[in-house]
């Protein structure tokens, strides 16, 4: 865990793999780019970075519907109803926070991440994009990037 608005307390090249899930959209654009550079810094050459963000145009309802469908496919109707009730308050909280992020996005504070922005952030950090796909009912963007080893650049 770390504060992505500050330098991470790890040496450069410390990790083989780094994951960042559902955080970058809470930062302003310059901070998003800086966070990717910082994650790349702590990644060893030859290492992998996986980043998942709320994508531009994020809508939470399709994610909830897909979750319920998956729950239904894995169990009974009663299991699905029980699941929906157990996570009802958490879902309302999630919808509330997404609404707050949307309002902040209008003022320019937060920014859901577009595919082209993510590709640029990764490239500017010296990483090679290996995969970039929409996930969670097409509402989130997941990118997998590789930090070239010195021999890769020769």
């Amino acid at each position: 865990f770390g504060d992505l608005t500050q330098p991470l307390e790890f040496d450069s090249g410390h990790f083989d793999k780094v994951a960042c899930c559902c955080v970058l959209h809470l930062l302003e654009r310059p901070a998003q780019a800086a966070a990717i550079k910082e994650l790349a810094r702590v990644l060893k050459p030859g290492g992998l970075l996986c980043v998942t963000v709320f994508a531009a145009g994020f809508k939470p309802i399709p994610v909830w519907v897909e979750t319920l469908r998956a729950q239904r496919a894995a169990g009974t109707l009663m299991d699905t109803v029980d699941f929906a009730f157990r996570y009802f308050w958490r879902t309302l909280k999630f919808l509330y926070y997404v609404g707050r992020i949307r309002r902040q996005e209008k003022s320019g504070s937060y920014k859901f991440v577009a595919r082209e922005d993510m590709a640029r952030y990764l490239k500017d950090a010296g990483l090679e994009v290996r995969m970039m796909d929409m996930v969670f009912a097409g509402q989130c963007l997941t990118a997998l990037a590789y930090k070239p080893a010195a021999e890769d650049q020769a």
Side-chain angles (χ1 to χ4, degrees):
F1 293 104
D3 179 351
L4 290 179
T5 64
Q6 303 294 319
L8 296 172
E9 296 180 11
F10 300 101
D11 293 334
S12 296
H14 187 81
F15 296 102
D16 293 316
K17 296 174 183 146
V18 174
C20 179
C21 187
C22 296
V23 174
L24 290 184
H25 56 269
L26 298 174
L27 305 175
E28 295 178 9
R29 276 187 190 238
Q32 290 174 350
I36 293 291
K37 285 181 180 173
E38 184 61 11
L39 294 171
R41 181 190 68 79
V42 300
L43 192 62
K44 289 180 183 176
L48 293 172
L49 170 65
C50 182
V51 180
T52 300
V53 295
F54 287 6
F58 179 84
K59 296 179 184 87
I61 298 300
V63 177
W64 178 240
V65 169
E66 182 177 285
T67 301
L68 290 177
R69 282 189 185 134
Q71 185 68 28
R72 177 64 181 105
T76 67
L77 178 60
M78 287 309 296
D79 291 338
T80 305
V81 170
D82 179 59
F83 176 87
F85 278 111
R86 273 188 292 130
Y87 289 95
F88 178 76
W89 290 114
R90 289 182 199 161
T91 300
L92 286 181
K93 214 188 262 188
F94 177 71
L95 293 172
Y96 168 77
Y97 285 116
V98 168
R100 283 186 59 184
I101 292 169
R102 280 204 192 291
R103 286 189 297 283
Q104 294 288 349
E105 184 178 35
K106 288 178 183 171
S107 72
S109 296
Y110 296 148
K111 193 70 180 167
F112 292 127
V113 182
R115 180 182 289 268
E116 55 274 6
D117 293 330
M118 178 61 75
R120 187 178 64 255
Y121 296 159
L122 294 168
K123 182 180 178 217
D124 290 351
L127 302 171
E128 296 175 3
V129 176
R130 292 292 171 98
M131 181 275 299
M132 200 175 308
D133 276 330
M134 298 301 288
V135 296
F136 301 126
Q139 301 304 305
C140 294
L141 177 65
T142 294
L144 183 66
Y146 171 77
K147 184 173 185 177
E151 59 270 11
D152 293 340
Q153 298 175 352

